[in-house]
């Protein structure tokens, strides 16, 4: 396994591999790897010859008030996990390597970036789209995989790839959860024991939405009311949003007819957790 820290070396390795006809697969991450990330590696491993993971905590997707400085990092542990998953290359650049000043070019994916997390984290998806576009130019993958845990991110990246004609196939993977239903996330590390105990309520509320829908409720307002009541039980909890949207356009629906995406963001103490589920009638 190689660890590459510069753009020129990464691009050269990509060019060499492409010249030899090898298929390059990329898993972009911010590190502090957990089973959710490993699942992406395992899905992509058999589909490519060269498996690349990028580990980069991308400063431009964090607002000044957010958790950039305290975002968990443990490269030694990540490296061991990557070795056991038969990763070929870890691309592990510094911030100065990715954003040498001056840096003035950003990608905005309109519409899909505007609601849900985009509304409460202005500029977040601009930062995500920009870094992913850079990673695509640096790693030159044929395939890249993203988790449905970050559903809106996945949609934004798919739209960017389509609109800007990146010659890359975007794959996706279902949400990997802890035994009690909590979606795995590097940020779960922030939760204290009481917060951790309450956190599965996000998943339970999504299951409640599914059940209500199966029982014939087609009114998003009513479902959101139920979910709000459930999520209010979280001690030190604060609901950022509960949304029921079209799974393709991410715009709110008035009535549940086909499939819809139920998406949540909830603060537990200082920690903002997200989760989602596609449900349908
Ligand atoms: P992150 O390191 O949090 O930026 O995540 C890197 C990639 O892993 C993204 O495509 C995420 O959607 C994906 N991911 C993170 N957590 C999970 C999870 N619990 N299940 C599936 N994919 C995940």
């Amino acid at each position: 396994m190689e660890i590459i820290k510069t753009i020129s070396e990464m691009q050269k390795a990509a060019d060499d591999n492409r010249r030899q006809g090898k298929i390059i697969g990329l898993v972009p991450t911010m590190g502090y790897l957990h089973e959710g990330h490993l699942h992406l590696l395992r899905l992509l491993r058999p589909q490519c010859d060269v498996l690349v993971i990028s580990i980069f905590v991308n400063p431009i997707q964090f607002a000044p008030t957010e958790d950039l400085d305290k975002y968990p990092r443990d490269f030694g542990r990540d490296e061991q996990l990557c070795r056991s998953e038969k990763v070929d290359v870890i691309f592990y650049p510094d911030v100065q390597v990715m954003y040498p000043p001056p840096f003035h070019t950003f990608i905005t994916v309109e519409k899909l970036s505007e609601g849900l997390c985009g509304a409460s984290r202005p500029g977040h998806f601009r930062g995500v789209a920009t870094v992913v576009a850079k990673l695509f130019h640096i790693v030159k993958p044929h395939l890249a995989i993203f988790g449905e845990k970050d559903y809106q991110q996945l949609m934004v990246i798919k739209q960017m790839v389509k609109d800007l004609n990146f010659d890359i196939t975007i794959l996706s993977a279902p949400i990997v959860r802890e035994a009690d239903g909590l979606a795995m996330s590097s940020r779960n590390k922030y939760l204290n024991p009481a917060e951790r105990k309450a956190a599965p309520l996000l998943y339970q509320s999504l299951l409640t939405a599914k059940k209500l829908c199966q029982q014939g409720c087609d009114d998003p307002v009513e479902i959101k009311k139920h979910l709000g009541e459930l999520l209010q039980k979280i001690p030190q909890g604060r609901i950022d949003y509960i949304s029921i949207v079209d799974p393709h356009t991410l715009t709110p629906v008035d009535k549940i007819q086909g499939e819809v995406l139920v998406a949540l963001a909830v603060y537990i103490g200082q920690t903002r957790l997200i989760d989602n589920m596609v449900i349908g009638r």
Side-chain angles (χ1 to χ4, degrees):
M1 188 178 75
E2 250 188 301
I3 298 168
I4 298 184
K5 298 197 67 161
T6 68
I7 290 169
S8 55
E9 277 175 277
M10 190 67 244
Q11 285 178 324
K12 183 176 177 309
D15 290 343
D16 290 348
N17 283 316
R18 279 187 166 251
R19 222 173 287 119
Q20 293 169 41
K22 291 188 177 161
I23 301 294
I24 303 172
L26 172 65
V27 181
T29 80
M30 299 207 296
Y32 208 72
L33 304 180
H34 52 66
E35 277 294 319
H37 298 114
L38 303 187
H39 189 62
L40 300 181
L41 291 170
R42 287 170 199 154
L43 282 174
L44 202 51
R45 179 65 281 182
Q47 301 192 52
C48 61
D49 302 305
V50 181
L51 179 59
V52 182
I53 185 172
S54 59
I55 297 184
F56 179 62
V57 182
N58 176 36
I60 68 165
Q61 71 187 65
F62 290 77
T65 49
E66 292 180 348
D67 57 343
L68 172 63
D69 290 339
K70 68 166 186 166
Y71 195 85
R73 294 161 167 92
D74 187 345
F75 185 73
R77 185 174 155 275
D78 289 349
E79 189 186 334
Q80 289 313 314
L81 289 168
C82 289
R83 276 189 205 285
S84 20
E85 296 302 328
K86 308 254 174 302
V87 166
D88 296 298
V89 179
I90 304 181
F91 179 54
Y92 182 52
D94 289 338
V95 173
Q96 293 76 4
V97 165
M98 288 296 274
Y99 299 111
F103 185 86
H104 293 310
T105 307
F106 296 89
I107 294 181
T108 301
V109 177
E110 296 181 3
K111 305 290 177 206
L112 287 173
S113 292
E114 289 163 15
L116 307 176
C117 289
S120 37
R121 302 186 69 188
H124 171 68
F125 289 112
R126 182 179 91 136
V128 169
T130 303
V131 80
V132 171
K134 283 171 69 71
L135 290 169
F136 285 173
H137 289 308
I138 296 165
V139 176
K140 308 189 187 192
H142 298 85
L143 308 166
I145 189 163
F146 294 82
E148 287 164 14
K149 157 91 187 334
D150 300 275
Y151 189 99
Q152 188 174 16
Q153 168 174 284
L154 169 66
M155 299 298 286
V156 164
I157 299 302
K158 280 187 175 169
Q159 187 73 40
M160 176 187 81
V161 163
K162 176 178 159 291
D163 289 347
L164 299 184
N165 309 102
F166 281 90
D167 191 7
I168 299 175
T169 302
I170 302 299
L171 307 173
S172 63
I175 301 176
V176 178
R177 299 179 179 282
E178 302 283 358
D180 60 8
L182 174 64
M184 292 201 181
S185 162
S186 307
R187 287 190 168 97
N188 293 349
K189 179 188 159 62
Y190 299 149
L191 301 170
N192 68 32
E195 291 169 347
R196 174 63 188 81
K197 198 162 164 232
L201 266 174
L202 270 77
Y203 180 57
Q204 285 158 21
S205 67
L206 292 171
L207 291 178
T208 302
K210 186 176 174 183
K211 196 168 103 204
L212 289 168
C213 182
Q214 281 166 348
Q215 287 168 352
C217 178
D218 63 1
D219 180 5
V221 176
E222 197 182 323
I223 294 184
K224 286 198 286 185
K225 187 168 154 276
H226 269 86
L227 268 51
E229 284 164 9
L230 257 173
L231 291 168
Q232 265 156 22
K233 292 185 185 152
I234 297 178
Q236 313 295 323
R238 180 165 66 82
I239 298 167
D240 180 6
Y241 66 77
I242 303 170
S243 297
I244 300 185
V245 298
D246 179 290
H248 307 289
T249 63
L250 306 186
T251 50
V253 296
D254 299 331
K255 192 172 174 192
I256 300 178
Q257 277 163 328
E259 288 196 324
V260 293
L261 175 79
V262 185
L264 311 172
V266 178
Y267 283 90
I268 306 190
Q270 300 296 309
T271 308
R272 185 174 178 278
L273 298 180
I274 57 170
D275 204 344
N276 71 78
M277 189 180 283
V278 175
I279 64 171
R281 290 168 55 71

